[in-house]
Amino acid sequence: MFGYVTPCKMELKIKDYEKFKAYYCGLCRSIKSSYGQLPRLTLNYDMTFLAILLDSLSEDKYNFTKFSCAVHPLKKRLMIHNNMALDYAAFCNTTLAYYKLMDDVYDNKTMKSKVFSLFLKNYLSKSKIEYTEVINYTKEKLSLLSTLEATPVNLSIDELSHVFADLTGFIVSFYYKDAPFKENLYWLGYNLGKWIYIIDAYDDLEKDIKSDSFNAINSLFNLEKLDFKSFSKIIKPRINYILTTCAEQCLKNLNSLPLIKNEDILYNILELGLMEKMNRVFNESDNIDNLKGVEYKDDRSI
Amino acid sequence: MIDPYEVLGVRKGTSKEDIKKAYREQAKKYHPDQYGDNPLKDLAEEKMQELNEAYDYLMKNSSSSSSSSSSSSYGSSTDYNSSNNYGSSSNSDYTNKDIYQSIRMDLNSGNLASAEQKLGSMNTKTAEWNYLMGMVHLKKSWHDSAYNFISKACSLEPTNIEYRRSFNELSTRNTNYRDNYYGRRNRDSDMGNMCLNLWCADSICECLGGDLISCC
């Protein structure tokens, strides 16, 4: 479900690109130092965005260090460390990954997810006490989501996606829970969460219809059990409308935040990065786009 | 003055039921929503307004006299126009007016829960009900249902400017947002474009006897 919130690399300045990577590496390192080696495997870009967003509102100076990465041993890289926002993002990363896995354990009962989740549970117990509220909230909301997904009768897409959207809003705004801009953070998170939930469902639509597994969009809208080709043609404009509105609302809320740094990266992600992802998801088959299309070839933007 | 019977395509003295049927058929044909950005949309909107006026007029008057179109001056009846701005001018509307007003106040002060609860307790679902429900959902970021409610309000009362404006705003926001992305793509050709524009300007100047760039 993760990894959709990334910058539009082609429009990023080199310095911002390096900064983004430094946050990414910093997040990876922070997960390792507070939770251990294994949770590092759950590292994702969405949480990098969370760290960048939360850090942009604090007055702390950047703390760059050079280091060499175990995965890419030859090159020296920059990373940001000793950063509260990064630590919080690392915590959220691990928590979400754990409960998402627990979900999979119930869903398909594969050995892999079972073993993995057992390990993660151990790691999670190391997290800070002041974050317990987040753990409980995540647990409650994700289990609610899986009950709703099990019997999606008479639900609208807004009702179903509300659960995940609300959770995201909570996680994003919890870090600054006493600040005056908390509301803006919540709504930014809310819309981003909804965007992630729906774009993920649409992205998996073809695969899920083929394998007959649960898909939010399929079970809510495809009442006549059409095949992917004809169904996606009908539903595409509607999904496109919802996603664009969510993204637009994210940007609107970002505009009212008192950003101190990282402005260019954040605007790049919410203005262009999200659009780029939508473009990719909607025009999977015909994406020979000048410049912007270059990076789709290997399906990863960074 | 247009004959309302002609607008709806029915004969004089047709029963109310048939008028309703004819109206529905015509409204389906001309509803502006289906035209998207098509230039025909304005035309359709105009036609739709004519249809609505004719329909309202006939509904009010067809029972009283069958030869109404000859005497009374429909079209210029101002009382009709003013009543149309508020709901569908039925009786229940007057009793609901106060509730709608308080819901609007709730919306302005951000008290969504109260607004939603009041709307939920109402039985008659008029255009205004749909519109206000849409506004509540818009504030909750329930974009899909907000869109549905507001477009329902527009189709129930196509002449209402407030509903139509909100509806149009929904798509304008998205277009503006998308343009951020698509606009950037064409920027690479800007330099070439500028040269071309200069050359054009120069040519035009020379045609008129002046000269913008003296060397060519």
Side-chain angles (χ1 to χ4, degrees), chain A residues 158 191 194 238 245 270, chain B residues 141 143-145 173 177 185:
Chain A
D158 287 315
N191 279 288
K194 182 172 258 189
R238 190 160 174 186
T245 316
L270 293 185
Chain B
S141 280
H143 309 303
D144 188 53
S145 45
R173 315 192 284 192
Y177 178 76
R185 170 182 303 172

Side-chain angles (χ1 to χ4, degrees), chain B residues 17-77:
Chain B
E17 275 308 299
D18 286 341
I19 293 176
K20 254 184 214 167
K21 214 191 269 169
Y23 169 75
R24 255 183 234 134
E25 258 169 43
Q26 298 272 358
K28 234 185 246 165
K29 219 192 301 179
Y30 291 110
H31 201 282
D33 282 356
Q34 62 199 347
Y35 290 90
D37 291 333
N38 197 313
L40 281 176
K41 192 177 176 181
D42 291 338
L43 211 69
E45 250 167 61
E46 228 169 75
K47 181 81 185 166
M48 197 66 211
Q49 187 151 359
E50 257 174 38
L51 276 177
N52 282 318
E53 280 170 16
Y55 176 72
D56 279 345
Y57 176 76
L58 286 182
M59 280 293 118
K60 260 190 213 158
N61 298 310
S62 67
S63 53
S64 54
S65 73
S66 57
S67 59
S68 51
S69 66
S70 56
S71 55
S72 74
S73 63
Y74 138 88
S76 65
S77 61

Side-chain angles (χ1 to χ4, degrees), chain A residues 151-169:
Chain A
T151 48
V153 194
N154 283 334
L155 278 179
S156 73
I157 186 136
D158 287 315
E159 282 168 297
L160 185 58
S161 60
H162 171 78
V163 185
F164 189 74
D166 174 57
L167 172 64
T168 320

Side-chain angles (χ1 to χ4, degrees), chain B residues 158-177:
Chain B
T159 48
N160 189 305
I161 297 167
E162 185 188 16
Y163 306 162
R164 175 125 329 256
R165 194 185 297 136
S166 305
F167 186 72
N168 288 340
E169 208 171 283
L170 293 180
S171 43
T172 346
R173 315 192 284 192
N174 281 2
T175 321
N176 290 343
Y177 178 76

Side-chain angles (χ1 to χ4, degrees), chain B residues 13-216:
Chain B
T14 317
S15 71
K16 271 193 170 180
E17 275 308 299
D18 286 341
I19 293 176
K20 254 184 214 167
K21 214 191 269 169
Y23 169 75
R24 255 183 234 134
E25 258 169 43
Q26 298 272 358
K28 234 185 246 165
K29 219 192 301 179
Y30 291 110
H31 201 282
D33 282 356
Q34 62 199 347
Y35 290 90
D37 291 333
N38 197 313
L40 281 176
K41 192 177 176 181
D42 291 338
L43 211 69
E45 250 167 61
E46 228 169 75
K47 181 81 185 166
M48 197 66 211
Q49 187 151 359
E50 257 174 38
L51 276 177
N52 282 318
E53 280 170 16
Y55 176 72
D56 279 345
Y57 176 76
L58 286 182
M59 280 293 118
K60 260 190 213 158
N61 298 310
S62 67
S63 53
S64 54
S65 73
S66 57
S67 59
S68 51
S69 66
S70 56
S71 55
S72 74
S73 63
Y74 138 88
S76 65
S77 61
T78 47
D79 64 312
Y80 154 72
N81 277 330
S82 59
S83 74
N84 189 44
N85 289 335
Y86 245 97
S88 51
S89 69
S90 59
N91 288 339
S92 66
D93 224 54
Y94 287 101
T95 50
N96 284 337
K97 223 171 183 176
D98 297 338
I99 307 179
Y100 285 140
Q101 202 53 47
S102 77
I103 293 170
R104 277 174 196 269
M105 264 148 70
D106 284 340
L107 272 172
N108 281 338
S109 63
N111 192 351
L112 289 185
S114 148
E116 197 169 15
Q117 195 242 330
K118 278 178 200 161
L119 284 166
S121 65
M122 291 172 72
N123 291 321
T124 44
K125 298 196 165 47
T126 58
E128 188 163 23
W129 185 91
N130 276 291
Y131 174 73
L132 291 174
M133 201 62 171
M135 284 296 143
V136 171
H137 281 214
L138 206 61
K139 293 231 160 128
K140 284 200 324 185
S141 280
W142 286 31
H143 309 303
D144 188 53
S145 45
Y147 182 89
N148 291 340
F149 278 123
I150 294 173
S151 77
K152 182 87 191 289
C154 282
S155 68
L156 284 175
E157 219 177 279
T159 48
N160 189 305
I161 297 167
E162 185 188 16
Y163 306 162
R164 175 125 329 256
R165 194 185 297 136
S166 305
F167 186 72
N168 288 340
E169 208 171 283
L170 293 180
S171 43
T172 346
R173 315 192 284 192
N174 281 2
T175 321
N176 290 343
Y177 178 76
R178 285 195 190 105
D179 283 350
N180 285 338
Y181 178 76
Y182 292 116
R184 244 161 252 242
R185 170 182 303 172
N186 300 323
R187 212 176 267 173
D188 285 344
S189 59
D190 269 1
M191 211 41 214
N193 241 341
M194 199 184 75
C195 290
L196 195 72
N197 289 343
L198 267 179
W199 177 67
C200 281
D202 183 43
S203 301
I204 292 166
C205 274
E206 277 166 13
C207 282
L208 296 170
D211 198 4
L212 184 67
I213 307 166
S214 52
C215 60
C216 64

